């Protein structure tokens, strides 16, 4: 059974053949959309891990790379965000690890690949936009510190990527989720530059921007200092500092590394 079919089954009760069909339709569309130079015809599909702090450019690079390769881009952060949203809705404390794990076990969190990017479904509802809001962003950071929550997430993420052909991004993909990934990238950038990028992305200025920057710094601190799977580059990751690089420069570097991993 292909890895993705297993994943879709693993995602539970509500999954139906329609989704599988949808997925393969997307995959074949991706295939058609790839430029001729890409290596998607290779029989071996890689697992590519992209980790790093917020604002380093992971999401853009991961999604562009996945598209070029005809791979699936999986944003592991969206899963933490979806769980955080459910905790907000159910009024569950972000500090209550046992309640959060119970909540996770009773949830269906799906990352649905589409041409325009990933959709995130929580118990069948599209929460793609809602999970990007500020309260969920803050909650996701707090929910993700708990070892038992991470254990649940990691197990799901492994199922998702098991068949290869994925670019998975997050904080612990190269260290915990796929320690044997074919390629590990740790994308970093100067904190001030990361904050500025985030401000531009969200088109915010002034006091709101200052508050958002402070929150980003705090989330960074939490990611790097938590006891369970802190944000750190895997020993065998290629570290790319994107501070002075354009998006295209970073992508070109990553593509070169991918090419070295592909047979032929
Ligand atoms: O990448 P993101 O900002 O969407 O992630 C949301 C939160 O989830 C972030 O605070 C860090 C956490 N996270 C994590 O701990 N491990 C991951 N693999 C992905 C995200």
């Amino acid at each position: 059974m292909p890895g993705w079919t297993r994943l879709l089954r693993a995602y539970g009760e509500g999954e139906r053949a329609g989704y599988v069909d949808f997925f393969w339709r997307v995959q074949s569309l991706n295939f058609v959309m790839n430029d001729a130079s890409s290596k998607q015809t290779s029989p071996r599909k890689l697992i590519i891990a992209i980790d790093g702090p917020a604002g380093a450019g992971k999401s853009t690079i991961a999604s562009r790379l996945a598209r070029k390769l005809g791979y699936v881009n999986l944003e592991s952060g969206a899963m933490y965000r979806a769980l955080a949203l459910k905790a907000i809705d159910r009024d569950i404390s972000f500090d209550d690890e046992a309640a959060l794990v119970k909540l996770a076990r009773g949830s269906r969190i799906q990352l649905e690949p589409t041409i325009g990017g990933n959709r995130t479904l929580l118990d069948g509802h599209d929460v793609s936009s809602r999970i990007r809001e500020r309260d969920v962003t803050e909650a996701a950071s707090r929910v993700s510190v708990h070892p038992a929550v991470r254990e649940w997430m990691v197990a799901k993420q492994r199922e998702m990527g098991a068949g290869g052909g994925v670019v998975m991004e997050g904080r612990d993909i190269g260290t915990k989720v796929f320690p044997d990934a074919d390629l590990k990238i740790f994308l970093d950038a100067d904190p001030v530059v990361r904050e500025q990028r985030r401000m531009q992305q969200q088109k915010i200025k002034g006091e709101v921007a200052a508050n958002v920057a402070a929150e980003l710094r705090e989330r960074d601190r939490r990611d790097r200092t938590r006891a369970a799977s802190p944000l750190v580059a895997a020993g065998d990751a290629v570290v790319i500092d994107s501070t002075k690089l354009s998006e295209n420069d970073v992508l070109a570097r990553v593509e070169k590394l991918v090419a070295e991993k592909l047979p032929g």
Side-chain angles (χ1 to χ4, degrees), residues 50-55 58-59 75-82 84 131-132 136-145 150 153-154 157 168-174 177 198 216 219-220 222-223 226 228-231:
I50 303 188
D51 289 302
K58 293 189 306 288
S59 300
E75 294 176 70
S76 60
M79 298 175 68
Y80 289 94
R81 286 172 180 268
I131 59 167
R132 301 289 153 197
V136 181
T137 300
E138 169 64 14
S141 166
R142 294 185 51 191
V143 158
S144 64
V145 301
R150 302 198 67 82
M153 292 285 176
V154 167
Q157 289 155 6
M168 193 177 287
E169 53 153 305
R171 306 290 191 287
D172 61 344
I173 311 305
V177 181
R198 207 23 74 90
L216 185 122
R219 288 201 307 279
D220 243 22
R222 209 176 275 139
D223 280 347
R226 68 181 171 224
S229 313
L231 172 65

Side-chain angles (χ1 to χ4, degrees), residues 168-218:
M168 193 177 287
E169 53 153 305
R171 306 290 191 287
D172 61 344
I173 311 305
T175 51
K176 283 284 185 279
V177 181
F178 288 114
D180 297 325
D182 298 285
L183 176 62
K184 300 179 188 178
I185 307 286
F186 190 88
L187 194 54
D188 209 346
D190 180 272
V192 175
V193 170
R194 289 192 287 110
E195 283 165 23
Q196 285 166 351
R197 285 179 188 162
R198 207 23 74 90
M199 304 307 109
Q200 279 166 4
Q201 224 172 35
Q202 300 182 355
K203 298 188 176 61
I204 47 173
K205 289 184 188 152
E207 200 181 325
V208 180
N211 290 340
V212 168
E215 285 168 13
L216 185 122
R217 275 197 294 277
E218 172 55 19

